[in-house]
Amino acid sequence: MSQAQSTTQGVSKETIFQRADNAELYAGALIPGYSCGATFETQNPYNGQCIGQVEDGNANTVNKAVEAARETFEAGTWADLAPSERKEILLRWHALLVAHTEELAALDCIDGGKPISECLETDLPETLETIAWYAEASDKLFGRIAPTGKDALALIEKEAAGVVGAVLPWNFPALMYAWKVAPALAVGNSVVVKPAEQTSLSAYKMTQLAHQAGVPEGALCLVTGMGESTGQPLGLHADVDVVSFTGSTDVGRLFLQYSAQSNLKNIVLECGGKSPQVIFDDAYDLDTIVDDVLSAAFWNMGENCSCGSRLLVHSSRKTELLTLLKARLPEWVMGDPKDPATKIGPMIEAVHFNKVSGYLATAKAEGAELVYGGSTPSMGAGLFVEPTIFDGVNADMSLFKEEVFGPILAVTAFETEEEALRLANQSDYGLAASIYTADIRRANRAAKAIRAGNVSINCFSEGSIATPFGGYKQSGFGGRDNGLEAFDQYLETKTLWYAN
Ligand code: NAP
Ligand code: MG
């Protein structure tokens, strides 16, 4: 019987919800030889109730984790395995994660306020696919031979970077963990993961399962806690080779400073966005397009980095499109994330709710016209923002320029293709964009003109695990997640020159 088969299955979502009701859930550091310290409470954003404890790590915790990670890297118990051996272990991890799918989905639901149906149908399937994809890719990477002429042989090799810090956001907890950790581990690095303080529970379980599958404990350490007390020491640590960060542009900027102030570690940033959805006058079948537009704007409560929060629509199609959007929006049911019918859960926490709901007043004050929603219903702990549409948003308004990270869609009309593309690019961000047109030549012109890392044509898509994901301008820095490109974050390049 294989190790994966001999392992108990994960518990049901009902069991996790029960444990949450009894405040029994837990996450804390996973570092060899380390015993955990003080904790803080983690809440269910829907009702504000304490669901468990999370270890409040600090610089000492980070030091221990980095020490263990370095020791393991130097010992070679992970880094020096044959790639096919690492693959086998990562596939065992995948099998364990599959067995714990429902448990992990329930943890992200209860911890992050994410609708359970989203967790089960999107987040966890993509998480599992990511782990399997990088496990399978790990023994299929080749170096190159340089064109030297007959006097020499030059090999261009890729080597594991060493100790990698992975700093995660709260909006897709299990999935962002997989995006960072799977490619970094697959090529032999030791990884220290720091999940967001709001959503550490699934990271704890995923790390435990990795150890159970055979990933050495020092090759994958977990540190939980606040950004300032754990993220900062990781960013400043002189023995960390790479930090791969996903989160806000403001905190991303800090990581560049941490690197400059310490050891010039490589920094990769996946940051915010203000992505345009461009609907040209010849867009076919708005009745179909409307679902894509809604998903882009409101999926995951708009707490999505590639959220299509700016709708740029040709003036001749605006009335028709707005009518369809308003007719379809009641399907986006707000409620308890534990309810399978819920499509819109609460904002993650009060500070974030205040920020998002603040835009309702700001947009009105700046002259935008509320055409749908705009309420903050008092259900649960009262952190709901109704899916909202503002029309008449111009390029000077906050709603056009700033990442809201909530369910508020800004509508701007345009007259010409040139104006549409100028508006699309009028942003500090450049993560994603969608273009809707029946004209293939216009689609191609627009796709090339838009300065963004991910452009989808006649749909809203973030691509797949096979395609790189990341942004231009202030949406990203230093590399890409996903695809074979993600490996570049975690590898150094070495030239070997042999004289003949
Ligand atoms: P955040 O506030 O920037 O936090 C991200 C991570 O950084 C968290 O683990 C956080 O720790 C940590 N952190 C906070 N302050 C820190 C500091 N001073 N020093 C070091 N680390 C620190 O972002 P978030 O609110 O979790 O996530 C939302 C943002 O992520 C949005 O802007 C969104 O667009 C972006 N995002 C981007 C992508 C992408 O692929 N481009 C994907 C998802 C999300 P705490 O635990 O204390 O929060
Ligand atoms: Mg929580």
Side-chain angles (χ1 to χ4, degrees):
M1 191 186 279
S2 79
Q3 200 167 335
Q5 285 165 334
S6 69
T7 306
T8 52
Q9 298 288 303
V11 300
S12 69
K13 62 183 191 305
E14 287 72 23
T15 305
I16 292 295
F17 295 157
Q18 187 65 47
R19 287 185 192 164
D21 285 343
N22 297 332
E24 285 170 355
L25 299 172
Y26 176 78
L30 290 167
I31 303 165
Y34 172 85
S35 37
C36 291
T39 60
F40 60 87
E41 290 187 348
T42 188
Q43 275 99 27
N44 172 354
Y46 175 67
N47 54 22
Q49 280 170 11
C50 170
I51 57 170
Q53 302 292 319
V54 173
E55 189 194 356
D56 198 2
N58 54 36
N60 180 45
T61 327
V62 171
N63 289 340
K64 296 272 186 246
V66 174
E67 252 169 54
R70 176 62 62 190
E71 218 175 277
T72 303
F73 187 71
E74 299 292 340
T77 45
W78 180 250
D80 293 347
L81 291 183
S84 59
E85 292 174 307
R86 283 199 297 270
K87 176 177 82 173
E88 285 309 311
I89 294 171
L90 293 176
L91 287 175
R92 279 210 296 271
W93 185 27
H94 174 259
L96 287 170
L97 292 165
V98 169
H100 290 75
T101 300
E102 190 171 318
E103 178 173 346
L104 291 163
L107 288 173
D108 277 358
C109 166
I110 203 79
D111 210 12
K114 290 174 72 77
I116 186 68
S117 40
E118 291 288 344
C119 297
L120 284 168
E121 288 160 22
T122 307
D123 291 45
L124 261 296
E126 290 188 11
T127 300
L128 297 170
E129 190 186 10
T130 301
I131 305 281
W133 201 86
Y134 284 108
E136 283 294 352
S138 54
D139 64 352
K140 297 168 188 70
L141 301 170
F142 292 80
R144 289 187 296 151
I145 298 174
T148 52
K150 68 179 171 49
D151 292 340
L153 169 66
L155 307 183
I156 303 168
E157 276 196 350
K158 299 280 185 179
E159 292 182 341
V163 174
V164 170
V167 180
L168 309 180
W170 45 257
N171 58 343
F172 293 89
L175 184 58
M176 293 301 105
Y177 179 112
W179 278 18
K180 301 288 189 202
V181 172
L185 275 184
V187 290
N189 293 285
S190 289
V191 185
V192 177
V193 194
K194 186 263 183 257
E197 74 198 44
Q198 299 90 343
T199 53
S200 301
L201 298 174
S202 58
Y204 186 68
K205 187 75 204 177
M206 289 172 79
T207 308
Q208 284 181 320
L209 293 175
H211 297 160
Q212 200 176 322
V215 176
E217 291 183 11
L220 180 60
C221 297
L222 182 76
V223 174
T224 63
M226 307 294 159
E228 292 77 8
S229 41
T230 51
Q232 180 169 344
L234 194 56
L236 285 169
H237 204 293
D239 206 22
V240 171
D241 298 290
V242 178
V243 167
S244 184
F245 166 88
T246 293
S248 61
T249 298
D250 284 347
V251 176
R253 235 181 265 285
L254 290 179
F255 275 93
L256 294 175
Q257 291 179 14
Y258 300 154
S259 170
Q261 288 163 11
S262 55
N263 61 341
L264 296 186
K265 60 178 66 61
N266 282 346
I267 299 289
V268 180
L269 306 177
E270 296 293 351
C271 299
K274 191 75 202 178
S275 300
Q277 310 191 59
V278 188
I279 318 283
F280 287 105
D281 52 351
D282 61 350
Y284 63 93
D285 187 13
L286 288 189
D287 196 40
T288 308
I289 291 172
V290 71
D291 285 324
D292 274 302
V293 171
L294 289 170
S295 292
F298 300 121
W299 175 47
N300 204 49
M301 293 70 79
E303 292 173 340
N304 180 15
C305 54
S306 60
C307 172
S309 53
R310 291 187 295 145
L311 182 63
L312 309 179
V313 56
H314 191 270
S315 60
S316 67
R317 309 299 297 276
K318 192 180 81 172
T319 306
E320 183 190 359
L321 183 58
L322 283 178
T323 305
L324 287 168
L325 288 170
K326 288 191 273 187
R328 214 58 71 78
L329 259 170
E331 293 166 18
W332 288 71
V333 179
M334 289 178 281
D336 187 342
K338 290 196 288 189
D339 181 345
T342 295
K343 280 190 84 165
I344 294 274
M347 299 283 91
I348 181 82
E349 61 184 1
V351 175
H352 188 59
F353 167 81
N354 292 338
K355 178 192 157 197
V356 174
S357 58
Y359 279 100
L360 299 172
T362 307
K364 283 181 208 157
E366 291 181 356
E369 182 198 348
L370 178 68
V371 294
Y372 188 93
S375 73
T376 53
S378 51
M379 57 176 106
L383 299 181
F384 279 83
V385 175
E386 185 184 11
T388 296
I389 303 176
F390 279 101
D391 189 10
V393 175
N394 68 44
D396 294 325
M397 294 182 186
S398 311
L399 213 50
F400 189 93
K401 294 190 281 201
E402 295 169 18
E403 183 184 48
V404 174
F405 221 56
I408 304 180
L409 178 63
V411 181
T412 306
F414 65 84
E415 299 299 334
T416 64
E417 180 179 317
E418 185 269 329
E419 185 188 4
L421 298 179
R422 184 169 41 75
L423 286 166
N425 281 332
Q426 202 165 335
S427 174
D428 291 338
Y429 297 109
L431 187 54
S434 301
I435 297 161
Y436 295 88
T437 173
D439 179 346
I440 183 77
R441 291 169 306 169
R442 170 181 270 169
N444 204 26
R445 277 196 304 273
K448 285 182 183 298
I450 291 178
R451 306 274 301 152
N454 296 73
V455 181
S456 35
I457 293 106
N458 291 325
C459 65
F460 164 61
S461 170
E462 297 181 338
S464 75
I465 188 58
T467 57
F469 184 85
Y472 286 28
K473 301 193 261 183
Q474 294 182 35
S475 289
F477 178 92
R480 289 287 185 267
D481 283 329
N482 294 357
L484 294 175
E485 281 77 0
F487 285 125
D488 294 338
Q489 295 187 41
Y490 309 111
L491 291 167
E492 285 287 5
T493 301
K494 180 177 278 179
T495 297
L496 303 181
W497 190 276
Y498 298 83
N500 280 338

